[in-house]
Amino acid sequence: MVYYILGKSSSGKDTIYHKLLQDKELNLHEIIGYTTRPIRSGEKEGREYHFVSPWQMEQMEQAGIIIERRSYLTAHGPWHYFTAKDESVDIEHKDYVLIGTLESYEKVKAYFGEEWVIPFYIEVEDGVRLQRALDRERRQKKPDYQELCRRFLADSLDFDQQTLKLAGIDKKYENIDLDQCIERMKLEMLEMKNR
């Protein structure tokens, strides 16, 4: 099974993702994604992402091992994010947690099959998200407020109610209280595992 966490930027997806991975009772595994964007302060190769060059990404695409790919035209040029096939991924015998966009969720669902990919949409009020994004960006060595604003505005279009409905996502996990949000998700995951 693949539990797929998605939501707008600064909704707490990364924190939730890491806490779920650390939960020994859930015994979830990660599929580490790839990106061509520069590594950020505090990130480590192979932990948040595999950081590759556009040329390396093209080589992987030619080899046919990319499951899904998203591209964003940023203030610094195009940045690509993608998920690649890995022989160690065995969704019939292990449970995984992934994090990404609605577009990537759709592609992963198409690749593995709808019955194997369960969405967990995280929701946070826009004002709270914007403040979180600003706080996080201020901590960067070189804050990039232009890119922050681009992402924030793009999320309004990417995650509108009609788009979520078309993707079959009707359940939302409100992240007002982080621990309560995670506990609700955990209980549902355990229930699915026991079916």
Side-chain angles (χ1 to χ4, degrees), residues 38-158:
I39 194 166
R40 292 179 182 153
S41 301
E43 290 181 329
K44 184 178 178 185
E45 162 60 31
R47 186 177 64 197
E48 287 82 10
Y49 292 100
H50 294 294
F51 295 91
V52 296
S53 69
W55 180 84
Q56 289 171 303
M57 178 190 68
E58 292 302 325
Q59 295 298 307
M60 294 170 77
E61 197 156 49
Q62 288 175 12
I65 63 170
I66 294 181
I67 296 170
E68 62 81 26
R69 175 177 132 178
R70 294 97 55 213
S71 299
Y72 303 97
L73 186 56
T74 73
H76 308 285
W79 287 352
H80 308 281
Y81 295 81
F82 59 97
T83 307
K85 294 177 191 172
D86 184 334
E87 288 77 25
S88 68
V89 175
D90 180 5
I91 65 170
E92 291 185 24
H93 298 99
K94 294 179 183 175
D95 290 324
Y96 296 87
V97 62
L98 269 175
I99 186 171
T101 65
L102 189 57
E103 179 185 355
S104 63
Y105 160 72
E106 292 278 32
K107 291 177 181 176
V108 170
K109 183 173 68 168
Y111 179 81
F112 287 116
E114 192 169 351
E115 68 277 11
W116 292 101
V117 183
I118 309 299
F120 284 82
Y121 180 73
I122 311 302
E123 190 168 68
V124 173
E125 190 271 325
D126 282 345
V128 174
R129 283 192 318 104
L130 183 56
Q131 188 60 58
R132 288 178 183 177
L134 285 167
D135 292 344
R136 182 175 66 191
E137 199 61 35
R138 279 188 193 106
R139 292 190 297 268
Q140 297 299 313
K141 286 182 183 175
K142 290 185 177 182
D144 188 348
Y145 298 111
Q146 186 176 358
E147 176 59 18
L148 179 154
C149 291
R150 185 207 61 81
R151 279 195 322 261
F152 189 84
L153 294 173
D155 282 344
S156 296
L157 299 174
D158 293 345

Side-chain angles (χ1 to χ4, degrees), residues 164-183:
L164 291 172
K165 187 176 181 180
L166 288 172
I169 299 171
D170 52 7
K171 196 169 195 178
K172 297 173 183 166
Y173 300 82
E174 202 166 9
N175 184 13
I176 295 171
D177 180 295
L178 180 65
D179 292 332
Q180 286 180 4
C181 181
I182 291 170
E183 188 61 24

Side-chain angles (χ1 to χ4, degrees), residues 1-6 17 20 26-31 91 94-100 105 108 115-121 173 185-195:
M1 191 71 66
V2 177
Y3 301 112
Y4 204 100
I5 299 172
L6 40 92
Y17 170 83
L20 291 171
L26 288 172
N27 192 29
L28 296 173
H29 302 273
E30 63 183 321
I31 300 172
I91 65 170
K94 294 179 183 175
D95 290 324
Y96 296 87
V97 62
L98 269 175
I99 186 171
Y105 160 72
V108 170
E115 68 277 11
W116 292 101
V117 183
I118 309 299
F120 284 82
Y121 180 73
Y173 300 82
M185 293 171 69
K186 176 181 175 177
L187 289 173
E188 292 193 27
M189 289 176 183
L190 289 172
E191 188 179 302
M192 288 177 207
K193 281 175 172 264
N194 294 327
R195 286 183 193 161

